């Protein structure tokens, strides 16, 4: 049985004081629910949010990290820094980073190797653009991203990776993939992972869906066989909406 996981990607929102207010709102609303809940605030809010999360089951994640453990990389943040700031999770290869910061599969692969080595739980984001979908290239693009991220990573280690299927056309647009569209790609990813990790291991891997998930559509998405929760953007910035989405994963 795969335990559902719902993570909030706060993107470039919330100062430290605002982040504290948001997580104070979320904490009581999701307490005691049998869902793995994670919040991913900006780097500058990690410490403040961590203090609020003490004695709570909510996990803390970062939105990005560098692929080296330390060094002359101005403006970057390492896995060791994230661990020291209380993070257990890290988002890697979000489409906004691929689109706006030039991240490609080989960079995501290096970051993934580093996160796994550091014992941070990576959430690797994959997904096609509308143009790629319309050109019939979903499988090629999405599985290319999954395979690219895993390049050279041992199967025994790769089973610890969490995946998020986030069709780029559904992110922040209000257009959600239908449950059928999402399930089709999730099943495709799991099938691909089975070839690389073995079926038993692939059956344990969790694959989140992301892209305009709201309280109204979450339950139908999460009810699909291969959808194990969500990675939430806009709706994660509202405690009530985020908690409602977490409850939809029960
Ligand atoms: P939205 O929920 O705002 O569409 O964002 C999804 C996302 O990018 C989460 O990482």
């Amino acid at each position: 049985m795969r335990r559902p996981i719902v993570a909030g990607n706060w993107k470039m929102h919330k100062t430290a004081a605002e982040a504290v207010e948001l997580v104070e709102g979320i904490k009581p609303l999701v307490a005691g629910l049998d869902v793995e809940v994670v919040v991913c605030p900006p780097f500058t809010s990690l410490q403040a949010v961590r203090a609020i999360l003490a004695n709570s089951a909510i996990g803390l994640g970062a939105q990005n990290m560098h692929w080296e453990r330390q060094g002359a990389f101005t403006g970057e943040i390492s896995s060791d820094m994230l661990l020291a700031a209380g993070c257990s999770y890290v988002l890697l290869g979000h489409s906004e980073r691929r689109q706006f910061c030039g991240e490609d599969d080989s960079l995501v692969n290096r970051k993934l190797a580093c996160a796994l080595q550091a014992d941070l739980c990576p959430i690797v984001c994959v997904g096609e653009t509308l143009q790629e979908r319309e050109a019939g290239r979903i499988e090629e693009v999405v599985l290319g991203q999954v395979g690219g991220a895993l390049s050279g990573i041992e199967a025994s280690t790769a089973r610890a990776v969490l995946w998020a299927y986030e069709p780029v056309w559904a992110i922040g647009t209000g257009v959600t993939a239908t449950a059928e569209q999402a399930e089709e790609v999730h099943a495709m990813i799991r099938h691909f992972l089975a070839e690389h990790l073995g079926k038993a291991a692939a059956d344990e891997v969790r694959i989140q869906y992301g892209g305009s998930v709201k309280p109204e559509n979450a339950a139908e998405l999460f009810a699909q066989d291969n959808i194990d929760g969500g990675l939430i953007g806009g709706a994660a910035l509202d405690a009530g909406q985020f908690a409602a989405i977490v409850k939809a994963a029960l």
Side-chain angles (χ1 to χ4, degrees), residues 53 137 217 231:
L53 293 182
R137 297 182 53 219
N217 57 27
L231 182 55

Side-chain angles (χ1 to χ4, degrees), residues 11 74 89 117 156 176 180 210:
K11 307 193 179 183
T74 302
Y89 303 81
Q117 204 187 18
S156 57
T176 324
E180 294 72 29

